[in-house]
Amino acid sequence: MTRWRIATIVTVLAAAACARTGASRPPLRWGGDAEGGAPFVEADPADPSRVRGFDVEIAGLIAHGLHREPVFVQVAWSSIEASVERGDFAIGMSGVEDRLELRARHAVTIPYFEFREVLAVRPADSSRFRTLDDLALHRVATLGGTGAYERLLAEQPRIGLVPISYDDDVHPYSDLVSGRVDAVLLDNIIADRSLRRSGGFYIQPAPVATGHYVGVLALRDSALRDSVNVILRARMRDGSLEKIFRAWNVWDDSQAGYFARALADTSTTRLAASAHADRSVRAYLPALLRAAVVTLVLSCLSMLLAVALGIGLAAGRVYGSRIVRAPLAIYVELIRGTPVLLQLFVLYYGLSEFIRLPAFLAAVLGLGLNYAAYESEIYRAALQAIPRSQLEAGRTLGLSEAQILRLVRGPQALRLALAPMTNDFVALLKDSSLVSVITVVELTKQTAIYATNVGSWLVPGILCAAIYLAMSLPLSRLARRLEQRWSAA
Amino acid sequence: MVRDVQASRGAHQVLRGVSLDVAPGQICALMGTSGAGKTTMLRAIAALGPFDSGSIVVDGFALAPGQVPPESKLRVLRRSVGMVFQAQSLFEHLSVIDNVTLALIHALRWTRERAEAEALALLATLGVAHRASALPRQLSGGEAQRVAIARALAPDPTLLLLDEPTSALDPARRGSLGEVLRALAAEGHGLLISTHDVDFAEGFADRVAVLAGGVVVEEGPPREVLSNSAHADTRALLRSPSAEARG
């Protein structure tokens, strides 16, 4: 009896001690991207300040296994790796794919889910496009920075397909349905979700490859990673993970097979070497330079459009009747008052029901139409800055209004407009990075892909900045020289 | 050619019935204190500003009262009337020769060679041919004035309007400008010059018209009007700084 009593007291004390330690331990901060949505991580429709999804529940399991409280940290999916090394959170989990490079740079948990990379095509093409090999010269979309994108890049030279990278996993499928791309290669979970949501495409049953989701920790946190692995194995064994996956409707026989294999093999899962093993600067420089050409061509074409349209808008507002001036003023204010990002989205996705613009053309139009509004204000101000006596002198000489604009007012206004125009062009060169949202891979996007792959922004960032400067500095210099020549002459 | 012209700026009636004649080969000085309406009169004749009533006829072309008609309806007038502005109005981005040839090439459709030959001859007459390739901002005040006259003269107008041509010139340059204008009159151009420079008018004008209160209060040969004036407004003009400077 006494012994029992002592044992009870010891147990209660130990439990209390445990509870106290648990309470005093800091919460487990874990990072994920709620924009990725269900079933990974999504804002809870019942309480948008909370998140839910299988990654959320697994993070909960891990935290409780560590006797800590889980705290969610929102992070952009493409920044999870950089953020975890910075120490923003202890573990990143949001459909993070297992890759060799990931393991080289971070402490990575054992995979907790096996997914299949599947090919989605339009129903009419289901017998034509069965595998990647059938897609020579066709556009294949996927999410940038994923294993699927890496695979498309690796297969590009052999098959001759055209990889198209997206910033989100919704638009690849809508563009597939609308015919902008011919296939989408992504995780079966994402493909199934899109099929349920909007439909209109067919998923090839044979997977292109399999992959795994893992948790990613900072390299220095390998001890914590080992504890997490112990917890994950225990939860595989006791069926908690299966229960979560079943609840989120992503459990199938292949998953059961994977769990059995993972529990039998105590070493970490073997991983096939990536086709892109060479991560040196030399390997990425050609891609960066090609992307720089895209940026330059895009910027030049957009600026040409902006200048031509801007001159028209300015002339209309200076010379036009009230009926002409009013709509032009509305255009300028509307464009200047709304984000260019929104305009690009509307142009590319919003109008796609009526007119399906190719991405590059939409980018040129979007930037050109946007900058035209700003240019027109510069030209309008410059035209109005030319003294009235200059125009009257032209009139008394018998020149027509059009001749006065072309020979007297325009050339002088151009000299006034040159400096602000150059500023705008340099700004446009940098704003052109926004068009990656409509799948154009330009310099910044290519740099982001590079940075994701090497797991650091330092070298890619410096290279990217150097290329931008190499493009913008000569331009500023040219403008300065022209200004000097015109003012000194 | 100017009959009973009335013009107003806003609510203020500037001209209340002005009549003027400038014959070919004649220099007429339109005099008056600041704000008397000299520039308004010149601008109405050059169809740069409106007038309310009366008539303006130049070389057979009649301007109607009311708003200034569009340029397309003023082609004939533009060929007959040249204007030299008070403010520097040379085209800053064009060289002297290009300023002078602009109207010849683009309004009269001359070839560049012919226009440049004509322009150089004009610039030589005015003594500024050596500045042909200079830009306006590189010219002195006197040179700019002569280039502006050359530009206005290039299309060979019958009537040349000059708005306060001496205001930016020192006395020596005023004299030489006067000589140039006399030579132009001798070639048959009619010149209407707005000025409050009594010396200049007395020295070079054939006729003087004094504008006061929106009407021409006195008109006649300069010596008659300026030496023996009985009119209070003319005497006021004679008391102006330029008149006092005569000593």
Side-chain angles (χ1 to χ4, degrees):
Chain A
M1 186 69 188
T2 314
R3 201 186 294 164
W4 270 113
R5 196 171 285 166
I6 291 168
T8 311
I9 290 168
V10 167
T11 313
V12 168
L13 280 177
C18 270
R20 216 176 27 246
T21 341
S24 65
R25 279 186 175 174
L28 179 75
R29 293 166 63 82
W30 71 279
D33 187 359
E35 214 184 316
F40 304 99
V41 183
E42 70 168 357
D44 190 340
D47 176 7
S49 67
R50 300 165 58 89
V51 285
R52 58 175 210 174
F54 68 68
D55 275 319
V56 179
E57 292 184 26
I58 295 170
L61 281 185
I62 294 171
H64 290 127
L66 295 167
H67 305 293
R68 292 162 72 174
E69 279 304 310
V71 171
F72 172 70
V73 179
Q74 166 63 35
V75 58
W77 188 77
S78 57
S79 303
I80 288 177
E81 282 186 56
S83 235
V84 77
E85 285 298 333
R86 278 190 73 231
D88 294 343
F89 43 81
I91 178 166
M93 297 178 45
S94 205
V96 176
E97 293 175 52
D98 196 10
R99 306 192 311 276
L100 264 188
E101 306 81 50
L102 196 71
R103 294 192 184 191
R105 292 191 300 264
H106 311 283
V108 174
T109 68
I110 57 164
Y112 55 82
F113 187 85
E114 181 170 277
F115 65 86
R116 302 183 298 280
E117 277 176 17
V118 292
L119 203 58
V121 297
R122 283 182 292 276
D125 294 332
S126 61
S127 53
R128 194 153 70 107
F129 302 142
R130 287 175 185 281
T131 66
L132 281 185
D133 286 8
D134 301 331
L135 284 156
L137 299 177
H138 289 282
R139 294 159 63 86
V140 185
T142 190
L143 185 60
T146 58
Y149 186 56
E150 285 282 291
R151 189 172 314 287
L152 291 181
L153 287 179
E155 297 285 20
Q156 182 178 18
R158 185 178 69 81
I159 300 174
L161 52 77
V162 185
I164 309 289
S165 140
Y166 283 73
D167 278 351
D168 67 289
D169 54 30
V170 175
H171 286 113
Y173 291 100
S174 59
D175 278 3
L176 170 66
V177 173
S178 71
R180 269 190 179 131
V181 298
D182 299 305
V184 178
L185 181 68
L186 266 173
D187 311 2
N188 61 311
I189 293 183
I190 297 171
D192 290 340
R193 177 178 71 185
S194 287
L195 192 62
R196 276 198 305 277
R197 249 187 219 159
S198 48
F201 59 90
Y202 173 80
I203 300 173
Q204 293 292 359
V208 173
T210 55
H212 299 91
Y213 296 141
V214 291
V216 57
L217 295 87
L219 204 51
R220 59 182 177 278
D221 282 343
S222 58
L224 178 61
R225 186 266 319 269
D226 294 342
S227 311
V228 172
N229 280 351
V230 170
I231 296 165
L232 283 175
R233 282 211 176 83
R235 298 301 162 253
M236 279 184 191
R237 216 172 277 125
D238 70 9
S240 321
L241 275 181
E242 179 180 340
K243 217 170 110 190
I244 291 172
F245 290 138
R246 279 189 188 280
W248 285 99
N249 230 351
V250 294
W251 181 267
D252 55 25
D253 294 343
S254 70
Q255 208 59 232
Y258 165 67
F259 271 28
R261 285 198 309 280
L263 288 172
D265 180 8
T266 49
S267 69
T268 47
T269 314
R270 280 185 305 279
L271 202 60
S274 156
H276 278 262
D278 186 1
R279 298 293 176 215
S280 69
V281 169
R282 210 188 306 156
Y284 278 100
L285 204 53
L288 280 184
L289 291 177
R290 271 197 303 276
V293 171
V294 172
T295 290
L296 198 61
V297 172
L298 173 68
S299 303
C300 288
L301 290 178
S302 303
M303 194 66 190
L304 273 180
L305 177 64
V307 168
L309 200 62
I311 289 174
L313 284 169
R317 290 190 72 183
V318 173
Y319 287 96
S321 64
R322 190 174 298 179
I323 302 161
V324 175
R325 288 202 311 266
L328 297 184
I330 291 171
Y331 174 83
V332 169
E333 294 311 326
L334 185 74
I335 293 287
R336 291 199 308 169
T338 54
V340 62
L341 207 56
L342 176 74
Q343 294 158 17
L344 285 169
F345 270 125
V346 169
L347 204 61
Y348 190 65
Y349 296 118
L351 296 183
S352 65
E353 282 172 39
F354 312 104
I355 178 167
R356 259 197 351 244
L357 296 168
F360 189 81
L361 181 63
V364 170
L365 277 179
L367 290 176
L369 292 175
N370 179 272
Y371 268 75
Y374 292 92
E375 294 314 293
S376 77
E377 286 299 277
I378 292 175
Y379 304 146
R380 193 166 70 99
L383 285 173
Q384 284 169 342
I386 306 305
R388 193 178 67 169
S389 62
Q390 294 273 306
L391 313 183
E392 291 185 338
R395 263 175 227 145
T396 59
L397 288 173
L399 300 176
S400 67
E401 288 298 336
Q403 283 176 323
I404 292 170
L405 176 61
R406 186 164 59 83
L407 301 167
V408 177
R409 201 178 194 183
Q412 295 188 61
L414 179 70
R415 283 156 166 75
L416 293 177
L418 185 73
M421 263 172 85
T422 316
N423 268 343
D424 273 3
F425 188 65
V426 173
L428 173 61
L429 207 60
K430 292 174 292 174
D431 273 0
S432 67
S433 62
L434 292 171
V435 304
S436 68
V437 298
I438 57 170
T439 79
V440 177
V441 178
E442 42 59 63
L443 185 52
T444 300
K445 179 68 182 174
Q446 189 65 55
T447 306
I449 292 169
Y450 176 17
T452 308
N453 286 351
V454 298
S456 159
W457 269 92
L458 194 62
V459 175
I462 290 171
L463 267 179
C464 175
I467 297 175
Y468 271 117
L469 281 175
M471 292 192 288
S472 63
L473 282 183
L475 207 83
S476 313
R477 204 156 168 197
L478 175 76
R480 238 190 344 265
R481 197 172 292 174
L482 274 177
E483 269 176 273
Q484 274 166 2
R485 204 175 82 187
W486 284 340
S487 62
Chain B
M1 53 147 216
V2 174
R3 286 288 164 270
D4 203 23
V5 163
Q6 302 199 8
S8 41
R9 255 184 311 210
H12 176 56
Q13 194 169 14
V14 184
L15 303 178
R16 298 168 182 271
V18 173
S19 298
L20 271 177
D21 284 286
V22 182
Q26 191 182 58
I27 297 180
C28 175
L30 184 60
M31 302 199 67
T33 50
S34 295
K38 306 188 293 289
T39 300
T40 304
M41 187 68 253
L42 257 52
R43 289 177 61 82
I45 299 171
L48 292 176
F51 61 99
D52 303 330
S53 63
S55 78
I56 296 174
V57 181
V58 181
D59 225 10
F61 182 90
L63 266 173
Q67 283 305 308
V68 176
E71 286 303 313
S72 53
K73 295 194 173 157
L74 292 172
R75 295 247 166 84
V76 177
L77 179 87
R78 292 296 180 221
R79 290 217 51 180
S80 323
V81 178
M83 179 147 179
V84 178
F85 293 80
Q86 180 177 11
Q88 289 301 342
S89 61
L90 291 176
F91 304 132
E92 292 294 328
H93 63 300
L94 297 178
S95 65
V96 163
I97 186 91
D98 288 342
N99 261 280
V100 181
T101 57
L102 195 70
L104 297 179
I105 293 172
H106 296 283
L108 301 185
R109 308 255 166 233
W110 287 20
T111 63
R112 178 166 291 278
E113 291 72 32
R114 185 180 166 206
E116 283 183 356
E118 170 72 16
L120 277 174
L122 261 174
L123 290 170
T125 312
L126 291 159
V128 280
H130 62 291
R131 302 299 270 151
S133 57
L135 282 167
R137 72 175 74 106
Q138 298 165 322
L139 303 176
S140 71
E143 287 171 335
Q145 185 72 271
R146 283 153 188 258
V147 173
I149 292 172
R151 184 178 69 178
L153 278 177
D156 198 24
T158 46
L159 175 65
L160 188 62
L161 309 172
L162 295 99
D163 195 6
E164 300 284 359
T166 61
S167 59
L169 301 181
D170 57 50
R173 299 219 177 270
R174 276 181 223 169
S176 98
L177 175 70
E179 298 302 332
V180 165
L181 299 183
R182 282 254 50 102
L184 293 178
E187 285 173 19
H189 297 284
L191 278 74
L192 178 60
I193 303 171
S194 90
T195 183
H196 59 265
D197 184 335
V198 176
D199 277 345
F200 186 78
E202 213 169 41
F204 301 102
D206 298 308
R207 274 165 11 90
V208 167
V210 179
L211 202 55
V215 291
V216 174
V217 291
E218 272 189 287
E219 195 181 1
R223 289 210 170 275
E224 261 175 46
V225 174
L226 297 172
S227 308
N228 315 310
S229 177
H231 205 281
D233 291 296
T234 312
R235 287 207 305 273
L237 192 64
L238 291 169
R239 283 196 303 273
S240 69
S242 103
E244 281 162 11
R246 295 191 295 179

